[in-house]
Amino acid sequence: MQVKKLGEKSSIIMSRKKSTLLACDYLVIGAGAASLAFIDTLITELPSVKIILVDKNSVPGGHWQHAYDYVHLHQPSVIYGLASKQLEGSWIKLILKLTLPWKHRASKKEIVKYYGDFVKEKIAAKNLIYYPNCVYDFEKGYSFSSLDETFSYEVKVREKVVNGVLGECVVPSQNPVKFPVDDGVIVMTPNELYKAYNDSKLQKWNKKYVVMGGGKTGMDAIVYLLNTMWVKPRNIHWIIPHDGWFLHYGDPWSRERALLRTNGDDEMALELLEKSSELVIILYIVCNISYHCFLMV
Amino acid sequence: MFSYGIINEYAIVCDPSKFPEQIARLDPNVQPSRYKFPVVGPFLLRTLRKIKKVIRKGRVTALKFHQERIQMHFDESNQYEIFDNDTIFVHCTSPGPFNDAKVKYLFQSEQQLDLYLLFAPPVTISMSMLGYLEAARQSNRLDMKYAEQLYSAIHERNPSDDVTEEKKESLPVNEILKGIVFPFTLEEGTNQKLVSLLNQAIFLAIGDMDPMIPYKWLKSNRLSMLSIPGSKVKSYEQMEKMILNGKELGYSEGFIEMFRLLKTKLEILKEK
């Protein structure tokens, strides 16, 4: 709700600055995770910097606001977000809830609020002017306009234009299926599945589901069907176009270090990484026992 | 009370390089064809493995009614699957992160910076480091003399060979950064696969005249894996290995020379 207010306030700014020339040090395109992490460090390092942030969405947070409501980070919150601001919140509060801080995986709601609060803080600090519901004109450059084309802006940029939408994450709710589907076939995005379930429109017990996709979204859908909707595994088919190696224990650079050890032999590197499992499983059990003994004490 | 996946969290608070590094696949009998970045811990993997009806026939190309049932067609198989007509299909087939972007440079020009990965995901540490580099560039804190040496090494350019006064002048800052800071992409090739290690070493070497400053910055940045107590950067040791095995790894002489330069500058970070 607060974030929505932010968008409304910015709309007022837009109407006042209709057809005017703006000026800033950096013009940043996109208000997603990439742009905001960049802006955060830039402001920390250059406290007097002036930034204009242009985004096609109505609130900050990029793809997170379009993602399905049951999405959580697939990495620990402790290493995600902004350098200046904890995403996991107070460690003391987490520990009192018997949750290890590095075990916390932020939800969609937490992430969208986190980014919204950050943008509000930086607007208040006068580092940032935020233009939601606007699109940057890549062809013309140094200009953007509102989605409804009512307002347009020219920007004098003293340092650089920063493109934060190159690696933009595309989620199913924004990207309809790319193949022909006959009328009457029920295809749902994860967002629609969530809504249908929560509106009690799904007679879940006897339904059969086919999850199409073997990535993070597909995995989340499987977990949601099994653990929230209590669909029986036998009622779920899973279409996996291409199997992937997944990180099992959270170090994204493990493949590169293994490649260095195997002189670039990818097959050997993957084998090396996979074979080290037994020791980790033992450590897993030891750590679990230690942790729970500690809690009991 | 049983806390599943705790080792996942425990592992990352320790020095990852001392730990058995881990990857997993859904089905031990199926060879994966690509590398993905979400962390799939033991509990999640166990949950996913409950699904026994897994279909591996490529991407879905059509969903059609046939004799009051639904036919599913695939791109890698002529066989189709049949489902009841009230089946619910959950669409999870979006491209997801990275958006198949073909990114060649980050420091595009004096006027434009493109935000893309410097390292393997999570994305936010790469963007924070680009913010640091950009701020250091603007406030003249980068070690551009060293950066130019790195540039000259990989572009096999020897400034002392230049004859004219004009050519002896330093290259523009952005041109140098464009030539030595590489985007991390999902493309194959060893140069690409080791780009996280290389970018980290370059960041430490040029982020300031004194490599201890970017090192301490990384250690204190909550987004960095190095902020985990006990973790080590090991860039010096990695450059040592990359010099030793550079040719087998597929690097050119120019790159190996760059690794030598990086090793020299990062000696202060030995065993750190």
Side-chain angles (χ1 to χ4, degrees), chain B residues 22-61:
Chain B
Q22 262 299 295
I23 53 170
R25 48 178 144 177
L26 188 66
D27 184 339
N29 299 314
V30 177
Q31 182 69 21
S33 58
R34 54 192 65 186
Y35 195 82
K36 297 182 179 183
F37 292 96
V39 179
V40 179
F43 176 58
L44 177 57
L45 194 60
R46 211 176 308 145
T47 307
L48 297 173
R49 283 178 175 165
K50 285 181 188 170
I51 307 300
K52 303 297 177 196
K53 295 174 179 175
V54 179
I55 298 165
R56 294 180 170 88
K57 292 181 177 176
R59 293 184 193 282
V60 179
T61 54

Side-chain angles (χ1 to χ4, degrees), chain B residues 2-22:
Chain B
F2 190 74
S3 176
Y4 291 104
I6 191 171
I7 187 62
N8 185 12
E9 292 76 22
Y10 184 79
I12 68 155
V13 296
C14 300
D15 180 357
S17 60
K18 279 186 187 162
F19 247 71
E21 294 155 329
Q22 262 299 295

Side-chain angles (χ1 to χ4, degrees), chain A residues 107-179:
Chain A
S107 65
K108 170 184 170 175
K109 201 175 158 190
E110 286 171 314
I111 295 168
V112 173
K113 183 179 182 312
Y114 174 77
Y115 285 132
D117 289 349
F118 168 75
V119 170
K120 273 170 72 175
E121 282 165 24
K122 297 305 167 192
I123 291 172
K126 301 200 185 306
N127 286 117
L128 199 64
I129 305 176
Y130 172 49
Y131 288 89
N133 302 314
C134 286
V135 278
Y136 182 73
D137 187 338
F138 280 94
E139 272 184 28
K140 194 177 167 195
Y142 302 102
S143 61
F144 64 93
S145 56
S146 59
L147 283 174
D148 61 7
E149 297 180 357
T150 316
F151 307 102
S152 61
Y153 300 90
E154 303 286 324
V155 190
K156 184 176 184 295
V157 180
R158 288 184 286 269
E159 289 295 331
K160 282 185 178 178
V161 171
V162 180
N163 183 357
V165 295
L166 262 181
E168 192 179 8
C169 186
V170 181
V171 294
S173 63
Q174 299 169 292
N175 184 46
V177 286
K178 295 274 191 282
F179 48 83

Side-chain angles (χ1 to χ4, degrees), chain A:
Chain A
M1 195 62 195
Q2 282 174 319
V3 174
K4 185 74 183 163
K5 277 180 188 167
L6 181 79
E8 286 165 5
K9 190 179 172 186
S10 297
S11 301
I12 296 164
I13 294 169
M14 284 200 313
S15 64
R16 282 179 193 160
K17 296 202 172 187
K18 188 182 172 186
S19 301
T20 53
L21 179 72
L22 307 172
C24 63
D25 296 320
Y26 290 88
L27 171 60
V28 180
I29 308 152
S35 300
L36 297 179
F38 172 84
I39 288 172
D40 177 47
T41 299
L42 196 68
I43 293 174
T44 306
E45 298 293 319
L46 303 170
S48 60
V49 72
K50 302 291 176 205
I51 301 166
I52 288 179
L53 177 62
V54 177
D55 190 41
K56 65 183 177 191
N57 296 305
S58 57
V59 293
H63 78 280
W64 284 106
Q65 60 193 290
H66 302 293
Y68 37 99
D69 287 87
Y70 54 84
V71 71
H72 280 74
L73 272 178
H74 266 217
Q75 294 122 10
S77 306
V78 290
I79 53 162
Y80 188 87
L82 309 162
S84 69
K85 198 173 154 85
Q86 279 175 251
L87 173 57
E88 70 278 12
S90 156
W91 281 35
I92 294 169
K93 277 187 190 169
L94 288 171
I95 289 167
L96 287 174
K97 287 182 199 165
L98 302 181
T99 304
L100 289 167
W102 49 91
K103 197 172 158 53
H104 185 267
R105 305 287 170 96
S107 65
K108 170 184 170 175
K109 201 175 158 190
E110 286 171 314
I111 295 168
V112 173
K113 183 179 182 312
Y114 174 77
Y115 285 132
D117 289 349
F118 168 75
V119 170
K120 273 170 72 175
E121 282 165 24
K122 297 305 167 192
I123 291 172
K126 301 200 185 306
N127 286 117
L128 199 64
I129 305 176
Y130 172 49
Y131 288 89
N133 302 314
C134 286
V135 278
Y136 182 73
D137 187 338
F138 280 94
E139 272 184 28
K140 194 177 167 195
Y142 302 102
S143 61
F144 64 93
S145 56
S146 59
L147 283 174
D148 61 7
E149 297 180 357
T150 316
F151 307 102
S152 61
Y153 300 90
E154 303 286 324
V155 190
K156 184 176 184 295
V157 180
R158 288 184 286 269
E159 289 295 331
K160 282 185 178 178
V161 171
V162 180
N163 183 357
V165 295
L166 262 181
E168 192 179 8
C169 186
V170 181
V171 294
S173 63
Q174 299 169 292
N175 184 46
V177 286
K178 295 274 191 282
F179 48 83
V181 178
D182 279 359
D183 286 346
V185 176
I186 309 166
V187 178
M188 285 185 174
T189 62
N191 305 52
E192 289 164 340
L193 180 75
Y194 175 87
K195 193 170 182 313
Y197 175 66
N198 285 287
D199 293 349
S200 307
K201 285 180 184 165
L202 284 181
Q203 293 173 346
K204 54 192 191 265
W205 300 104
N206 50 1
K207 282 280 181 199
K208 289 187 176 163
Y209 296 86
V210 178
V211 175
M212 302 183 289
K216 176 183 184 289
T217 311
M219 288 191 280
D220 281 352
I222 296 284
V223 173
Y224 189 71
L225 288 168
L226 290 174
N227 293 354
T228 304
M229 293 172 64
W230 300 108
V231 177
K232 297 225 165 13
R234 65 166 184 270
N235 287 338
I236 301 172
H237 281 78
W238 192 3
I239 314 295
I240 300 182
H242 302 285
D243 274 69
W245 291 106
F246 295 102
L247 290 168
H248 206 20
Y249 294 106
D251 179 11
W253 291 21
S254 43
R255 185 195 188 191
E256 294 192 36
R257 280 195 290 268
L259 276 168
L260 196 53
R261 262 184 264 161
T262 60
N263 272 351
D265 187 325
D266 211 4
E267 228 168 88
M268 268 175 69
L270 291 168
E271 201 177 314
L272 189 76
L273 291 171
E274 199 186 22
K275 276 190 177 166
S276 53
S277 62
E278 290 84 1
L279 183 54
V280 177
I281 298 299
I282 293 163
L283 278 165
Y284 170 62
I285 295 162
V286 171
C287 290
N288 247 320
I289 292 168
S290 317
Y291 172 58
H292 289 97
C293 287
F294 166 74
L295 286 181
M296 284 165 73
V297 169

Side-chain angles (χ1 to χ4, degrees), chain B residues 255-271:
Chain B
F255 266 91
I256 297 169
E257 180 54 28
M258 180 168 77
F259 304 154
R260 281 194 199 101
L261 289 166
L262 286 168
K263 188 189 153 201
T264 309
K265 175 91 190 254
L266 302 179
E267 196 163 1
I268 195 170
L269 299 177
K270 195 174 176 182
E271 293 177 9

Side-chain angles (χ1 to χ4, degrees), chain B residues 205-229:
Chain B
I206 69 163
D208 197 280
M209 302 300 281
D210 176 4
M212 285 305 285
I213 292 173
Y215 168 75
K216 283 178 184 166
W217 182 85
L218 265 184
K219 289 291 279 183
S220 64
N221 189 326
R222 65 171 285 274
L223 305 175
S224 165
M225 298 291 276
L226 289 175
S227 65
I228 296 160

